[in-house]
Amino acid sequence: MESEAAGARRAAVLGKPIAHSLSPVLHRAAYTELGLTGWSYDSFEVDEGALPGFLEALGPEWAGLSLTMPLKRAVIPLLDEISDTAASVDAVNTLVLTEDGRRLGDNTDIPGMVAALREHGIEQVDSAAILGAGATASSALAALARICTGEVVAYVRSEARAAEMRQWGERLDVEVRTADWADAARALHAPLVIATTPAGTTDALAAAVPERPATLFDVLYEPWPTELAARWSMSGGAVVGGLDLLVHQAVLQVERMTGRAPAPLEAMRRAGEQALAAR
C-alpha cells in the first residue's frame, strides 16, 4: 500500500469544456482501489492558448494528464516524445510526466476501443462501417487497422470529409471506401458499425436497424442509450457503448501514470455507471 508518506502525486484532465468529464470519477476510483492514498486527480478548463503555460508551471509531484478536446493535437509540439499509436492519428490523449521532467505523449483511445470490442467478443471482423468523419472516426479507423481484415465504409456528409477519411485510410493502411450520409442506413448491415457522431445524429437511423443486426459500437455515453443503440439492443444485436470506451482508455491511462497494473476495470466501471445515474 502506498501511504501519504510516500509523497503526494497529482494527475488531472484538461480540456474545454471540462465540467462534463467523467475522468476524475474513474481515476479516483482506481486510486482508491489500488490503495494510492497520496494520489489526487482534478480537472482544469484549459484551451490551446493556455496549455503551454499550464505545462510549464507543473511541479515534480505531477505524474500525468488526460487530454480532451481541443488539446489532443495542440499538445504535440510541447512533447519530448510521442508514441507510434498517438503519431498515427496526430492525437495525444495521455501525457505521462517522468521523474526527470520529460513529457511523453500517448493515445489510449485506440487500444481502448480494441479492448472494449474484445471484451464483447469481437476479436476480428472482415468488414466494418463508420458513421461520421471527425477526430473519433480517425481513432476508430486506427482501431480497425488492428482487427478488420477487409474494407471499411465511411458514411460522411461532404466530399471534404470523404477525402479526409480516404487519406486516413492510406496513412493507417486500411482499405477505406466513402459513401454519402444519405445512404447511412446501409451501414447497419455491416458486421461491425462504429458510430462516432454527436448526440442525436443517428436517431433517424433507429428505424432502419435490420432484423438481425451484428455489433454496434456507439462512442456516446450521455445520453445513453442512444435511440440507435436502444433499437439495436431490442433487435438482439450486440452493443458496445461510450462508457466501455471511456473506462478501457482510462484503465490504460491509470497504468501508464501510476506504474501499477492491472488497473481495477470493474471498480472504475461501477464508479462511472453510478456517476452517470446520478446525473
Side-chain angles (χ1 to χ4, degrees):
M1 299 284 278
E2 186 164 313
S3 68
E4 295 284 356
R9 300 305 312 275
R10 296 190 69 182
V13 59
L14 313 184
K16 186 175 183 177
I18 203 64
H20 68 286
S21 178
L22 276 181
S23 291
V25 168
L26 302 180
H27 285 252
R28 289 169 187 166
Y31 298 166
T32 299
E33 194 75 9
L34 291 169
L36 299 176
T37 55
W39 285 68
S40 64
Y41 189 101
D42 302 295
S43 63
F44 296 93
E45 187 153 299
V46 176
D47 62 15
E48 300 102 319
L51 182 60
F54 188 95
L55 295 183
E56 285 300 321
L58 297 179
E61 73 278 12
W62 282 87
L65 298 168
S66 308
L67 301 165
T68 185
M69 300 308 290
L71 305 178
K72 292 184 180 185
R73 193 160 288 171
V75 74
I76 293 174
L78 308 174
L79 300 173
D80 295 301
E81 194 179 310
I82 181 172
S83 70
D84 290 344
T85 302
S88 73
V89 289
D90 288 338
V92 167
N93 78 328
T94 306
L95 174 52
V96 175
L97 299 156
T98 66
E99 287 183 7
D100 59 359
R102 287 167 56 76
R103 301 170 184 167
L104 312 181
D106 200 1
N107 184 308
T108 63
D109 286 331
I110 295 163
M113 279 188 179
V114 174
L117 285 164
R118 186 173 294 135
E119 187 180 36
H120 285 77
I122 309 298
E123 298 275 352
Q124 191 177 80
V125 290
D126 56 15
S127 63
I130 295 178
L131 298 173
T136 308
S138 59
S139 290
L141 264 185
L144 288 170
R146 302 181 180 195
I147 66 164
C148 183
T149 58
E151 182 183 69
V152 177
V153 185
Y155 291 81
V156 299
R157 292 190 183 277
S158 71
E159 180 47 43
R161 289 292 201 181
E164 277 179 29
M165 288 299 281
R166 289 193 294 268
Q167 286 170 358
W168 280 117
E170 287 176 21
R171 181 167 169 175
L172 295 161
D173 199 23
V174 179
E175 185 186 344
V176 174
R177 178 165 63 85
T178 54
D180 192 270
W181 184 263
D183 298 321
R186 292 183 185 171
L188 309 186
H189 295 271
L192 172 61
V193 182
I194 305 182
T196 69
T197 50
T201 309
T202 60
D203 288 358
L205 295 175
V209 172
E211 274 187 33
R212 290 198 180 96
T215 301
L216 170 69
F217 190 163
D218 195 325
V219 303
L220 293 172
Y221 61 86
E222 198 174 20
W224 187 262
T226 61
E227 287 191 30
L228 180 61
R231 182 67 65 90
W232 198 277
S233 207
M234 280 169 50
S235 300
V239 175
V240 186
L243 185 61
D244 294 312
L245 168 59
L246 199 65
V247 171
H248 277 283
Q249 65 81 28
V251 159
L252 296 168
Q253 286 187 334
V254 168
E255 290 174 356
R256 284 159 174 64
M257 291 179 195
T258 67
R260 298 280 292 271
L265 173 72
E266 291 309 324
M268 294 167 72
R269 193 198 313 274
R270 280 196 306 274
E273 288 170 347
Q274 289 165 3
L276 286 175
R279 289 181 183 180

